[in-house]
Amino acid sequence: LGYVFDYKFYGFGGSEKCISIINAQGQIVDNDQAQFDEQTQRALLPNKLFFLENRLLPIYKDSAFSNPKQGLEKVRTWIDTNHTETIKRYVPVLQQTILNPQDLSNTIQFVYAHESVADKRYWKNIAVSKAPQSKLARNFNMLCFGDSLTQVGTPWTLKNKLESLGATVTPVGTFWSTESPNELPSEGRGWWNYREFIGKDNASRGAVHTRSEGGKTRTEKFENPFLKLATTQDKTDHPNWCFRFTGAQKELSYADDTDKSGNFYIFDFDWYKTQHSVANPDFITIALSTNDINLDREVYNAAEVMQFMQLGLEIMVKQIHKVLPSVPIGIVPCPAWSATVDGYTTFANETAKWVELCIKQVEVLRTTHSNIEVIPVYLHMNRDMGYPIVNSTSLSSDSDIQVGVISDWVHYDQVGRDQYADVVSAWLANSI
């Protein structure tokens, strides 16, 4: 029950923007007021964008919002470039908009609006960092942490991209994936998440993890080379960082376990590097969250997922910078996810929350670890054409239009890897 006033529906007891109106045929009437909510349809914007001078980068409208599907076509979006020429100052953000760094000042505004709240404008100031391509003309040791998105070819694509820009790249790590061309080393391990890298979770879809005691330059997929036996000082300084190693998906920390006897283990980058003969990396990327969110839902609730992603990020960054205090670390919070039912839903309901938390967590870490940045690859990735499309068939017997389906909503294809590598390359040039 309710009434209509000024083209808005008011339920008795208050104005409800999201009430559905049903017509006599039982169909939902298109209601513009129900298609925008400033909380569920908020923009997910980083604090900084990275560019190589004179190299264009695309930005995608549906990759910039927490709900990439619901009513986005009615959200007006543009970038205030702060350009001195008025004609170049306001750039509309369409489904794909190509940004030229030469047209952007050192600070831009990402602005959006919706007709249902016509008096409001929403915006965020974003720093713009630009560097010449010549910054990449040097030798790099590259270490990539990640899950299956890293395992199946991202380091290979990134190496090729950087070398096309003048770099010489030597990947380092202890896991050599046979799914990656030329078997490049990295720490891209399918099924892994933040929890498993730090020792909180030691099982992956039925595969119980083992722990490397050191002395190996190559480790198995479910063999953890990062966990050192925690010392008394480790347990005193960081009781929440030290975990049992029983093969459980919820290991107890030293702080939580009432039994303080026996062995606990801690993520230790110096142990990893020295015991496994890993050369010092010149830059590191950490690209996790996919499996934190998508797997082990029966074990970890939503709040715990966010809690341990933040803890994992904190431990990894602090333990790396303890050994290599100035190495650039790029945090990739997520890819864009595909334009599919699962991709849209997962991004809107869970990944969007992590993007915001990750951006805030990195800013906190930057107070003591300055050479760390969020790499916003999700803004620059094509949801429609960056994922594998298969099973093409004719639309009909009379049509030459082909119809295919996205076969994998999680793992981007070579188009996605190329876009990913473009953004990481720009970050690296601005961070060394």
Side-chain angles (χ1 to χ4, degrees), residues 179-191:
E179 296 171 306
S180 179
N182 302 321
E183 293 192 65
L184 298 181
S186 73
E187 296 301 342
R189 298 169 180 263
W191 300 103

Side-chain angles (χ1 to χ4, degrees), residues 6-8 17 30-37 71-78 112-122:
D6 193 23
Y7 300 101
K8 296 179 182 178
K17 292 189 295 182
D30 182 30
N31 177 10
D32 288 346
Q33 312 307 320
Q35 294 190 16
F36 181 77
D37 181 277
L72 197 60
E73 70 279 357
K74 297 189 179 181
V75 178
R76 303 189 309 280
T77 309
W78 61 95
Y112 60 102
H114 192 273
E115 61 195 44
S116 65
V117 281
D119 294 341
K120 289 187 177 182
R121 300 293 181 270
Y122 305 84

Side-chain angles (χ1 to χ4, degrees), residues 78-83 85-92 111:
W78 61 95
I79 288 175
D80 183 349
T81 67
N82 288 310
H83 200 283
E85 296 181 46
T86 303
I87 195 170
K88 293 183 178 180
R89 180 167 177 179
Y90 299 105
V91 177
V111 190

Side-chain angles (χ1 to χ4, degrees), residues 46-48 124 313 331 356-370 372-374:
N47 295 326
K48 187 181 291 185
K124 179 175 178 177
L313 174 59
I331 308 299
E356 293 170 316
L357 280 174
C358 183
I359 291 170
K360 291 178 181 178
Q361 177 82 344
V362 167
E363 283 305 302
V364 172
L365 290 169
R366 279 173 55 82
T367 61
T368 51
H369 304 273
S370 59
I372 174 177
E373 299 277 7
V374 169

Side-chain angles (χ1 to χ4, degrees), residues 89 224 280:
R89 180 167 177 179
N224 194 321
N280 284 346

Side-chain angles (χ1 to χ4, degrees), residues 302-361:
E304 289 175 321
V305 167
M306 299 299 161
Q307 172 191 349
F308 290 114
M309 282 196 287
Q310 291 179 87
L311 180 64
L313 174 59
E314 177 189 5
I315 291 172
M316 293 175 73
V317 167
K318 289 184 176 181
Q319 292 290 73
I320 291 169
H321 269 172
K322 181 180 176 181
V323 184
L324 300 173
S326 60
V327 66
I329 303 177
I331 308 299
V332 180
C334 67
W337 290 138
S338 60
T340 59
V341 172
D342 287 332
Y344 282 142
T345 302
T346 302
F347 196 90
N349 294 343
E350 295 167 281
T351 305
K353 297 175 185 176
W354 169 239
V355 172
E356 293 170 316
L357 280 174
C358 183
I359 291 170
K360 291 178 181 178
Q361 177 82 344

Side-chain angles (χ1 to χ4, degrees), residues 396-408:
S396 69
S397 59
D398 299 323
S399 175
D400 58 3
I401 297 297
Q402 294 293 298
V403 181
V405 295
I406 292 181
S407 61
D408 188 338

